[in-house]
Amino acid sequence: MDAIRYIHAADLHLDTPFQGLSRETAQGGHLARLLHEATFTALERLFRFCEAEKPDFLVLAGDIYNQENHSVKAQLKLRDGCDRLNRLGIRVFLAHGNHDPLDSRLNAVEWPDNVTVFGPEPERHVLEKDGRPLAVIHGISHARAREGRNLARLFERDARYDCFQLGVLHCTVEGESKADRYAPCSLDDLKAGGLDAWALGHVHERRVLSETPFVAYPGNAQGLHVNEPGPRGCLLVTVAPRGGAYACASTFLRLGPVQWEKLDLDLDGVDHLDEVERRLNHCLEKAAEAADPGCEALMARVTLSGRTSLDALLRDAANQEDLAERLRHLSSGTPGVWLKDLRVETRSLTERSEYLQREDLLGEAMRLAERMRESREALQEVAGPALHPLFGHNRLRKVLAQPDETQMQALLQEAERLCMDLLEVR
């Protein structure tokens, strides 16, 4: 048997706006156009890879677009690309996920003959080559936005065919950190179906959960926010028979033109702003050099750390904006680099123990904070009345979650820093 080759993509989220960008960044100019077209650029790269690699078929494992947007542009762009593949004889198998379920309005186009859209119950489609079965593609779509069924348990190998069999599913596999756990299942559930491989969607990080059977998430095609860093794309999977089974090898293909990064910059001992600016430039330039040629824009969050006399100055929002403005020249490079935001986690040069010894208002505030850190009761005694106007309000209580222990400690730490900045005599 000749090797089977297929391209596996998921979570394209076509025409989805980028999240967490300032109004100024989102308006006008080169970056705004680049961001607006990023998901479509990823789609175009996907079709070009298919045209160049000529795989046996393309799998799209859900969340191709968002039902919230009802984007006509997204639907027509996808239809046009599939039509291009139809001329090359490349089949397309498409499953719908939680963002584009079958009951949404994202079904207004007529697909070319090479496209198979899976329905709300498991389906099997035989892909033939030279008159004989090459593969059986199993799949199912989400019928509605909040699919709670374990869909993996509905899959079963077709015993009539002695060939490669692949499952296509948009789901959350047990152990994956995903807040919206739709179509939940376990790895054992997937293996129990007897298929040779699974092409999954929903988790936006690239993962290979099992080699035999081959179970993989390709990640999303374009990162949508700063918590989706690094290159994004799809998988080119090559299947070959081995010892009565099938061995799968995957190659990552970059699709997304915009890359998000989280960068750390140590300012320990730095006393002058020009050195901060120099280090920021160097940090961002190094990140740009490390990006591969497919990256057209790098969006970075830089976290500043270390003990420095500039601690209070760096925490001022206006000063952060001034620093960001000084870095705008990096946007003209290749790739263009934009500073999304600065996270300031620096510390002052004064030791905390010194503040605790002081006999002034700042010293008293720090001693109170220390008691609150050591005693949950002391923390609640102060924080409870302060937070009551928020969580005691009927309407707000429905949309706001009570902060957990970790969040409360983070709030206390930030309050300490504000006290140091506001109450210190300078």
Side-chain angles (χ1 to χ4, degrees):
M1 181 195 94
D2 295 334
I4 299 170
R5 298 165 73 248
Y6 64 92
I7 288 180
H8 171 200
D11 299 282
L12 275 71
H13 291 279
L14 295 174
D15 215 9
T16 301
F18 277 65
Q19 302 170 20
L21 294 177
S22 68
R23 184 183 304 173
E24 292 76 14
T25 303
Q27 291 174 345
H30 171 67
L31 178 60
R33 292 191 296 273
L34 187 63
L35 294 177
H36 182 71
E37 291 297 321
T39 56
F40 292 112
T41 301
L43 180 68
E44 175 60 25
R45 288 179 176 183
L46 173 62
F47 287 128
R48 287 183 181 176
F49 274 129
C50 288
E51 290 168 333
E53 296 290 343
K54 295 183 174 57
D56 294 294
F57 57 94
L58 166 66
V59 171
L60 299 175
D63 284 3
I64 312 308
Y65 20 61
N66 282 8
Q67 64 168 328
E68 296 92 339
N69 301 333
H70 306 297
S71 171
V72 171
K73 178 180 178 180
Q75 296 176 71
L76 294 177
K77 286 274 191 181
L78 183 62
R79 191 276 316 273
D80 291 346
C82 289
D83 193 48
R84 284 158 55 184
L85 301 189
N86 192 28
R87 295 178 213 139
L88 297 173
I90 299 173
R91 292 279 298 274
V92 179
F93 294 92
L94 190 157
H96 287 265
N98 57 288
H99 277 284
D100 54 1
L102 292 172
D103 66 356
S104 68
R105 287 184 281 164
L106 292 167
N107 52 7
V109 299
E110 184 176 354
W111 296 106
D113 295 339
N114 64 323
V115 177
T116 297
V117 178
F118 294 112
E121 299 299 330
E123 299 177 13
R124 303 168 181 175
H125 297 273
V126 180
L127 180 67
E128 295 189 346
K129 186 175 184 178
D130 300 327
R132 58 183 178 81
L134 179 70
V136 179
I137 315 301
H138 304 243
I140 190 172
S141 287
H142 287 212
R144 58 197 64 82
R146 297 189 176 276
E147 180 60 79
R149 295 178 297 164
N150 186 331
L151 301 179
R153 292 178 179 173
L154 304 178
F155 286 71
E156 185 179 357
R157 187 179 187 86
D158 193 331
R160 297 173 299 171
Y161 298 97
D162 183 22
C163 62
F164 175 72
Q165 301 201 25
L166 171 72
V168 182
L169 181 60
H170 196 82
C171 66
T172 311
V173 178
E174 189 176 82
E176 291 298 314
S177 56
K178 186 73 176 170
D180 44 352
R181 298 182 61 79
Y182 301 128
C185 65
S186 69
L187 190 56
D188 287 340
D189 292 329
L190 296 171
K191 292 181 177 181
L195 305 184
D196 302 299
W198 287 86
L200 305 181
H202 188 47
V203 173
H204 285 193
E205 299 301 320
R206 191 163 71 252
R207 299 268 196 275
V208 175
L209 305 183
S210 170
E211 294 290 345
T212 308
F214 183 71
V215 181
Y217 286 106
N220 54 348
Q222 167 60 64
L224 301 179
H225 50 75
V226 74
N227 290 320
E228 296 181 346
R232 302 281 159 157
C234 61
L235 296 177
L236 171 61
V237 182
T238 303
V239 184
R242 181 182 297 172
Y246 294 91
C248 298
S250 63
T251 302
F252 172 71
L253 304 174
R254 183 190 184 116
L255 298 178
V258 178
Q259 183 169 318
W260 300 84
E261 288 297 343
K262 292 181 177 180
L263 307 174
D264 296 312
L265 181 58
D266 185 5
L267 297 180
D268 200 49
V270 173
D271 295 322
H272 298 97
L273 274 175
D274 52 350
E275 177 63 11
V276 174
E277 181 183 17
R278 188 193 70 78
R279 292 194 185 191
L280 276 169
N281 270 287
H282 182 64
C283 176
L284 293 170
E285 286 169 352
K286 278 184 63 178
E289 290 170 4
D292 64 43
C295 178
E296 296 179 19
L298 189 72
M299 302 290 296
R301 165 178 288 167
V302 180
T303 299
L304 307 179
S305 61
R307 296 182 61 198
T308 169
S309 59
L310 302 174
D311 175 63
L313 184 147
L314 292 171
R315 292 181 182 281
D316 186 280
N319 293 335
Q320 292 175 24
E321 290 179 9
D322 290 341
L323 281 170
E325 182 65 34
R326 299 275 299 181
L327 299 167
R328 289 282 171 87
H329 67 281
L330 295 174
S331 64
S332 61
T334 305
V337 181
W338 280 266
L339 180 67
K340 178 194 177 294
D341 56 26
L342 282 174
R343 289 291 176 92
V344 180
E345 297 181 2
T346 54
R347 293 175 295 145
S348 71
L349 293 178
T350 305
E351 291 287 355
R352 208 167 163 278
S353 58
E354 295 179 38
Y355 286 117
L356 293 171
Q357 308 275 334
R358 289 169 53 155
E359 295 298 331
D360 58 8
L361 182 57
L362 178 54
E364 184 59 35
M366 295 299 289
R367 286 188 289 276
L368 173 60
E370 185 71 8
R371 291 195 296 273
M372 294 166 67
R373 178 174 285 104
E374 295 174 351
S375 167
R376 181 180 177 85
E377 290 74 20
L379 178 59
Q380 287 301 323
E381 185 179 341
V382 175
L387 295 176
H388 179 73
L390 288 177
F391 298 103
H393 193 285
N394 287 336
R395 291 186 179 178
L396 289 176
R397 191 166 53 235
K398 294 178 181 179
V399 295
L400 293 177
Q402 285 276 359
D404 59 24
E405 189 68 27
T406 301
Q407 291 168 327
M408 288 295 289
Q409 291 297 326
L411 287 171
L412 177 58
Q413 184 175 359
E414 184 59 27
E416 275 192 344
R417 287 174 174 166
L418 285 171
C419 287
M420 291 179 193
D421 188 33
L422 298 173
L423 301 179
E424 178 67 284
V425 177
R426 303 188 188 284

